[in-house]
Amino acid sequence: MTAQAQQLAGPLSAAVANLCVRLQPQVSPTTAAGFREVLRRLSAPLQVAVAGRIKSGKSTLVNALIGRRVAPTDVGECTRLVTRFQYGTVDRIEVVFTDGRKQVLPFDANGGIPAELGVDVERVSHIEAYLTNAVLRDLTVIDTPGLGSLDAASVARTEALLGNELDPVSRSAVAGAEAVLYVVTQGVRQDDQQALAAFTAATASREAGPVNAIAVLNKADTIAAETVEGADGDTWQAAVLLAERQAHTLKPRVADVLPVIGLVAESAETGGFTSADADALRKLAELDDATRETMLISADLFVSWECDVPVGVRTRLLEKLDLYGIRCALTALDAEPAITAGALRRKLLDASGLEGVRGKLNAVFRSRADGIKAAAALASVTALAAASGDPGERQRVHDAIEVLLAKPEAHQLRLLEALTLVASGAVALPADLADEVLRFGTSPDPAEQLGLRGRPPQELIAYALERAGWWRSFASFGATPAQSRVAHVVHRAYFLIWQQLRGGDDGRNPTCADGVRPGCGDDHRR
C-alpha cells in the first residue's frame, strides 16, 4: 500500500488509489494529471453537495448541519456562488477566481461569510470556507445556488465546478461531489426529478441513485395539515406523509425523503436560540389560552397583538422559530414550566427533524464513505480514459478495473455499480425486482435491506437464503446478460446478509449458498 493509500477512507479507496498509481505510467500525460486529481480526492473527506431550487432553504440547512450560522441565507451575491465548507486549522475564507487566483478574506463580525465580498463576482469561480469544526473532519459540505432556478452565470459556475466538461488537466471530470443532499419543499415540481438527475450526473460523472443521494422536505412547518389525508390535523404527521409521497415521486433517484424544519434546526443548533429567547417564550406561556391562540393564528397577529412581550422581541422569535417553533416551545413550557433554556433548545432541535436527517446522512453516506468514494473515483477514472480518445488507453484502464472488481473484497463496489445501473435505468428490471435491488442502497441495516424491519432473526435468515437462491437461478435462467451481471451481485449480497445473520465469518472469502466460492467462476465476473 502506498503512503497515499494509507490516508484513505478504507480498503476500497486504497485499492482504487493503487490502481491509479499503477496506471499513471501507462496513460497520456493529460489522463495521468486527471489520475493525480483522483488520488487527491480519494484522500479528502467525503464531499456532499446540497442542491435544490432557489428559496428552498439550502443554506439554512447547511448552517444547521455544520452547527454554525456561516452560510448567507439572504439573497445576495454570495448566494449566487458555490461555497465549499471544509475543515481547516484556522477559520478563513478563500475567494477562488476563474483564472486560479485566490484572495483570503476574514469572516464577518458574526462569524459568517460576508454578504458582500468586495470583488467582481463575475470573475469568481467559487468560495472555499475553512472552519475548525469537528463535523467537517470527515465531510465536506458544498452549498450550491441550484440548477434551473437562478441566472445563467450562477448555473454555469455550478456546472463548471461540479464537472460537466474536461479542462486541459481533466480537473472538472473529477471535481464533483460524491453525494448529494437534495432539498425540496412541499410543492415538488414535475421537473424536480430531471433537475436532480442533471445535478447528480455532474457529481463525479455518476447518475443519482439510492447510494449517493437523499432528499429532505424542508419547511415542513408550512404544510397545511388539513390538506393531507391521514394527518389528522397534525403538521408533523402531514410532513411525514408528504415526504413518503415525494420519496415515491423521486424514486429511484434518492434513498429517502425526510421532513425537516431548517429554520428551527438552524436556530437550535447554531446558538441562535438564546436564554433571552427562552425568557421571552416563558412570558408568552403565561398568557391566557385565548390570547395565545389568537396570536398564533398568523405572524401579523403574533407581532401586533397587545401583550407584555415587546414587539421587537416577538419579531426576533418569529425570525428564529416561525409560528410552528414558537408553538412547540410553548407546548414544552406548558408541560414543564421550569424547563431550562438548554433543555428547551433540545426540545426545539427534536421538533425540527434534524437528527433524522443526520441519522440518514450517517447511514447512507458516512457509513459507506469508503465505497462511495471508491465508486466515484472509478467513474472518474473511466471518464478520463474515455475522454483521452485513445482506444488502447481506454482498454488498459477497463481491463485494470475489471481485475479489481473481480476480487471478492470488491463486492461493495460491484453492489454500488449494480444499484447505479438499476437506478439510472441502464439495466431494466421488472418494478418489483428493481425495488428489491434498490433496498440495498437505502440502509446498512440487514432487516431494512431485506424489507423485513422488525421481523425475528430466524425469519430474516430464511428469507435471505431463499432470495439468494432465487437471484442465482434468475442469473442463470431467463435473465439478459446485463440483468445476469446485476443478479449475480444481488445473489451474493443476500448470501453475505445470510452469513452475517448466522454469525458466520466476515465475508471476505465466503462460500456461496450453493457451495461455489464467489469470484471463482466466470459467472461472478460477467
Side-chain angles (χ1 to χ4, degrees):
M1 184 179 294
T2 65
Q4 176 92 26
Q6 292 175 0
Q7 305 170 14
L8 302 176
L12 296 175
S13 295
V16 177
N18 285 329
L19 177 144
C20 290
V21 171
R22 292 196 308 271
L23 284 174
Q24 277 182 312
Q26 306 175 43
V27 298
S28 68
T30 299
T31 305
F35 284 3
R36 286 193 292 274
E37 181 66 11
V38 172
L39 287 167
R40 183 194 67 77
R41 283 180 42 119
L42 275 169
S43 61
L46 183 71
Q47 300 188 69
V48 177
V50 180
R53 300 191 178 281
I54 191 170
K55 296 184 179 179
S56 61
K58 298 183 305 298
S59 297
T60 299
L61 186 60
V62 166
N63 289 334
L65 290 171
I66 294 175
R68 172 171 163 179
R69 201 172 192 279
V70 62
T73 55
D74 296 328
V75 176
E77 63 180 23
C78 283
T79 58
R80 295 163 51 199
L81 298 171
V82 176
T83 304
R84 292 165 45 87
F85 296 95
Q86 54 194 306
Y87 182 79
T89 55
V90 177
D91 286 6
R92 71 184 190 280
I93 302 166
E94 288 186 358
V95 179
V96 182
F97 294 89
T98 53
D99 61 5
R101 291 184 300 113
K102 296 182 180 180
Q103 181 174 333
V104 178
L105 295 177
F107 287 94
D108 64 20
N110 296 319
I113 295 175
E116 303 296 328
L117 299 175
V119 300
D120 184 357
V121 176
E122 300 306 317
R123 297 181 181 274
V124 175
S125 166
H126 64 283
I127 298 173
E128 301 275 1
Y130 295 89
L131 302 170
T132 53
N133 186 302
V135 173
L136 299 174
R137 283 186 177 274
D138 62 350
L139 197 72
T140 293
V141 179
I142 305 172
D143 190 9
T144 74
L147 293 180
S149 56
L150 295 177
D151 58 274
S154 298
V155 173
R157 279 191 291 267
T158 300
E159 291 177 340
L161 184 67
L162 292 175
N164 272 346
E165 300 175 355
L166 288 170
D167 62 18
V169 296
S170 304
R171 182 169 54 192
S172 60
V174 290
E178 291 138 338
V180 59
L181 177 64
Y182 194 73
V183 183
V184 297
T185 53
Q186 55 181 305
V188 176
R189 287 165 46 170
Q190 188 174 6
D191 61 346
D192 261 316
Q193 192 163 18
Q194 287 75 22
L196 175 59
F199 188 92
T200 49
T203 62
S205 304
R206 299 182 67 205
E207 288 286 339
V211 171
N212 68 328
I214 63 175
V216 296
L217 167 59
N218 198 12
K219 304 183 180 180
D221 55 316
T222 63
I223 296 169
E226 64 274 10
T227 65
V228 180
E229 185 178 355
D232 296 326
D234 183 274
T235 300
W236 187 256
Q237 180 61 21
V240 171
L241 292 171
L242 189 56
E244 291 175 355
R245 296 174 191 174
Q246 291 179 339
H248 181 75
T249 300
L250 295 175
K251 184 181 179 180
R253 296 287 182 188
V254 299
D256 203 356
V257 179
L258 299 161
V260 69
I261 306 170
L263 179 64
V264 175
E266 181 191 54
S267 297
E269 191 69 351
T270 65
F273 182 77
T274 65
S275 57
D277 297 324
D279 291 340
L281 287 165
R282 212 177 300 279
K283 289 182 180 179
L284 290 171
E286 295 171 356
L287 297 173
D288 63 88
D289 291 345
T291 299
R292 273 173 46 176
E293 285 305 311
T294 301
M295 292 176 66
L296 291 172
I297 289 175
S298 71
D300 287 342
L301 283 172
F302 183 77
V303 296
S304 63
W305 202 262
E306 289 290 335
C307 78
D308 292 337
V309 180
V311 172
V313 173
R314 283 180 272 163
T315 301
R316 187 182 70 228
L317 287 175
L318 272 180
E319 291 172 347
K320 293 181 179 184
L321 303 176
D322 216 334
L323 288 175
Y324 182 86
I326 292 169
R327 185 181 289 276
C328 288
L330 294 178
T331 300
L333 284 162
D334 288 342
E336 191 179 347
I339 189 172
T340 65
L344 186 56
R345 182 195 69 82
R346 288 190 291 275
K347 292 281 188 182
L348 288 168
L349 186 62
D350 290 342
S352 74
L354 182 64
E355 288 308 307
V357 175
R358 281 180 169 156
K360 185 61 70 170
L361 280 171
N362 289 335
V364 177
F365 294 161
R366 271 196 169 98
S367 67
R368 294 174 170 167
D370 183 30
I372 292 174
K373 289 181 69 66
L378 283 181
S380 294
V381 167
T382 301
L384 288 163
S388 71
D390 181 345
E393 178 175 298
R394 187 165 59 248
Q395 189 62 48
R396 284 192 295 276
V397 171
H398 175 269
D399 291 346
I401 291 175
E402 285 298 304
V403 169
L404 186 155
L405 292 177
K407 297 178 179 179
E409 58 268 25
H411 168 71
Q412 187 182 358
L413 288 178
R414 281 291 196 199
L415 182 58
L416 294 174
E417 176 192 41
L419 288 167
T420 301
L421 290 172
V422 173
S424 66
V427 174
L429 286 171
D432 57 335
L433 295 185
D435 289 345
E436 187 175 345
V437 174
L438 294 174
R439 275 205 308 265
F440 285 100
T442 60
S443 169
D445 179 60
E448 293 198 13
Q449 290 178 343
L450 295 175
L452 299 175
R453 183 171 56 180
R455 302 292 182 85
Q458 287 305 314
E459 185 176 345
L460 301 181
I461 292 170
Y463 184 76
L465 186 60
E466 185 271 323
R467 295 311 294 165
W470 189 94
W471 279 93
R472 186 168 180 81
S473 297
F474 175 65
S476 303
F477 306 102
T480 66
Q483 290 173 337
S484 180
R485 178 175 180 137
V486 169
H488 279 299
V489 174
V490 177
H491 151 71
R492 188 170 182 233
Y494 272 120
F495 176 72
L496 290 177
I497 290 178
W498 174 76
Q499 189 176 54
Q500 176 187 346
L501 293 172
R502 291 178 66 245
D505 63 39
D506 57 13
R508 287 178 294 181
N509 198 24
T511 301
C512 283
D514 58 359
V516 178
R517 190 178 299 279
C520 297
D522 290 339
D523 60 337
H524 287 278
R525 291 193 287 267
R526 280 187 291 185

